[in-house]
């Protein structure tokens, strides 16, 4: 879309936002916001009676019509007078689509899954679930409609991340794929699929310990936030990684010093998220490897020298 001062931007992903060029427009009351969202996603004319039923939660038809009338008045005052896309004549209302409009949801859903740039642009549009401030579980016609679109947008988000991860893996860009998978888990912290893909990428890069850590953090978060466990596929992959994990470290013999054995233990704290770990968690992780070093030293009649303290720049 060409840059133009008169572009009307309507953001429906996340909290609703309305802008004319660089100027933010004040949002009307709830029924008027619902009217705006419903009209701008529908082509053609819609009868007032249908909109009153769809949008208003009044106890009687008369109250619903009054609510709709007030919403029409508020929305008309909010939108620019010149070349307004909002038409309301008689019993019919209509939203005229045009080049001078940018509505995020249609753009987001229309992204080409085969095109990396298109997927990246679509993800940049996603600021949260569709109409995030709206409750969608009261059973009213509007919330049923909004709930369906919310689910559609969330499903599309998974497809977009999946497509980007798959594309970069196919192109042997494993680091970029890892970055997208990490962002995916951050965007959807309680979903199994992004964590499975992140673990698979880490495991393929011989970062099994980090993959296990990702699972354990996810398992704790899901149990705490939802009272649920990771799904069977994720659990199965976790068990596979546990079985493959190396349980011993082969000591390295220093040939330059007869009879000596040098043991190097790297107590790498797995991530992502290590910078948020407490000192106690990091120390416990280091002590685990300290125990491994002692076990190896015992088999070779060696002595552990040095300490296992650490210093971090936070």
């Amino acid at each position: 879309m060409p840059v133009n001062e008169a572009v009307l931007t309507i953001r429906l992903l996340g909290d609703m936002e309305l802008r004319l060029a660089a100027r933010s427009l004040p949002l009307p009351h709830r029924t008027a916001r619902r009217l705006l969202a419903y009209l701008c996603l529908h082509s053609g004319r819609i009868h007032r009676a249908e909109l009153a039923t769809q949008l208003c939660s009044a106890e009687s038809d008369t109250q619903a019509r009054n609510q709709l009338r007030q919403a029409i008045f508020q929305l008309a005052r909010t939108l620019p007078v010149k070349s307004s896309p909002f038409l309301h004549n008689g019993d019919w209302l209509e939203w005229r689509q045009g080049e001078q409009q940018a509505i995020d949801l249609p753009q987001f859903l229309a992204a080409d899954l085969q095109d990396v740039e298109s997927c990246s642009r679509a993800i940049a549009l996603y600021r949260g679930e569709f109409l995030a401030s709206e409750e969608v579980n009261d059973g009213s016609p509007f919330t049923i409609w909004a709930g369906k679109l919310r689910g559609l947008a969330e499903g599309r988000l998974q497809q977009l991340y999946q497509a980007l991860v798959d594309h970069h893996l196919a192109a042997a860009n494993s680091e970029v794929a890892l970055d997208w998978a990490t962002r995916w888990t951050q965007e959807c912290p309680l979903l199994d699929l992004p964590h499975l893909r992140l673990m698979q990428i880490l495991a393929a890069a011989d970062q099994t310990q980090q993959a296990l850590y990702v699972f354990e953090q996810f398992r704790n978060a899901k149990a705490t936030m939802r009272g649920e466990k990771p799904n069977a596929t994720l659990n199965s992959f976790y068990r596979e990684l546990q079985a493959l994990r190396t349980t011993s470290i082969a000591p390295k013999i220093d040939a330059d010093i007869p009879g000596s054995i040098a043991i190097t233990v790297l107590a790498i704290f797995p991530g992502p998220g290590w910078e948020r770990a407490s000192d106690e968690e990091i120390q416990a992780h280091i002590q685990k490897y300290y125990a491994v070093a002692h076990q190896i030293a015992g088999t070779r009649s060696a002595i552990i020298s040095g300490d296992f303290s650490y210093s971090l720049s936070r």
Side-chain angles (χ1 to χ4, degrees):
M1 178 184 299
V3 176
N4 192 297
E5 292 183 348
V7 171
L8 178 65
T9 300
I10 304 173
R11 293 177 175 172
L12 304 174
L13 294 169
D15 292 332
M16 180 182 282
E17 186 177 339
L18 191 60
R19 303 183 70 86
L20 182 62
R23 180 166 61 93
S24 179
L25 300 179
L27 290 175
H29 294 162
R30 189 181 74 163
T31 304
R33 293 198 305 270
R34 289 183 170 192
L35 176 62
L36 171 61
Y38 194 81
L39 281 177
C40 76
L41 296 178
H42 285 80
S43 59
R45 300 190 304 168
I46 306 177
H47 199 276
R48 282 177 180 254
E50 177 185 341
L51 286 169
T53 301
Q54 184 72 26
L55 304 177
C56 303
S57 57
E59 295 180 359
S60 69
D61 292 343
T62 301
Q63 289 177 321
R65 288 194 296 270
N66 287 335
Q67 284 185 9
L68 179 61
R69 188 180 303 111
Q70 293 171 8
I72 292 171
F73 176 74
Q74 290 177 6
L75 184 56
R77 289 188 61 184
T78 299
L79 295 171
V81 175
K82 184 180 179 180
S83 303
S84 174
F86 179 43
L87 306 180
H88 49 100
N89 296 316
D91 290 334
W92 297 92
L93 284 79
E94 183 177 1
W95 186 273
R96 292 281 181 86
Q97 305 289 343
E99 293 183 356
Q100 304 310 112
Q101 298 172 39
I103 306 174
D104 58 0
L105 181 63
Q107 296 173 348
F108 175 76
L109 296 176
D112 183 359
L113 295 178
Q114 305 303 316
D115 184 273
V116 173
E117 292 301 321
S118 180
C119 291
S120 300
R121 287 194 301 269
I123 286 179
L125 290 173
Y126 194 86
R127 302 178 304 121
E129 58 189 9
F130 176 68
L131 296 180
S133 61
E134 284 283 347
E135 296 291 338
V136 296
N137 56 1
D138 65 7
S140 66
F142 178 83
T143 58
I144 292 173
W145 171 79
K148 290 179 179 178
L149 284 183
R150 185 174 292 184
L152 183 64
E154 290 174 351
R156 190 61 168 178
L157 182 67
Q158 307 312 309
Q159 294 174 344
L160 290 166
Y161 273 113
Q162 180 91 292
L164 283 169
V165 169
D166 288 343
H167 172 84
H168 289 294
L169 287 177
N173 297 327
S174 57
E175 290 187 5
V176 180
L178 177 62
D179 180 60
W180 278 112
T182 301
R183 289 180 57 182
W184 191 5
T185 61
Q186 294 168 349
E187 185 79 63
C188 308
L190 298 179
L191 292 185
D192 294 79
L193 181 58
H195 291 84
L196 175 62
R197 296 309 309 273
L198 178 57
M199 289 172 63
Q200 289 170 336
I201 294 170
L202 289 170
D206 293 327
Q207 300 182 55
T208 303
Q209 187 64 35
Q210 290 187 351
L212 293 172
Y213 178 78
V214 167
F215 176 88
E216 290 158 3
Q217 291 293 100
F218 172 63
R219 179 179 58 193
N220 294 339
K222 195 168 186 180
T224 301
M225 301 298 294
R226 289 186 176 175
E228 299 175 359
K229 298 179 180 180
N231 65 23
T233 302
L234 198 54
N235 271 304
S236 177
F237 187 61
Y238 175 67
R239 290 192 293 269
E240 289 178 19
L241 293 182
Q242 282 185 312
L244 292 173
R245 183 173 56 181
T246 303
T247 57
S248 62
I249 302 175
K252 178 181 178 180
I253 309 266
D254 191 339
D256 295 332
I257 307 177
S260 71
I261 298 174
I263 300 174
T264 301
V265 178
L266 298 178
I268 299 173
F269 193 85
W274 69 267
E275 69 279 2
R276 296 188 298 272
S278 67
D279 289 349
E280 291 76 13
E281 290 175 318
I282 295 177
Q283 192 63 43
H285 183 77
I286 293 174
Q287 288 300 324
K288 178 172 67 175
Y289 285 89
Y290 185 62
V292 172
H294 266 292
Q295 180 182 3
I296 295 173
T299 64
R300 309 295 298 189
S301 299
I303 298 175
I304 297 293
S305 62
D307 60 42
F308 276 70
S309 61
Y310 68 96
S311 176
L312 293 174
S313 297
R314 296 218 180 222

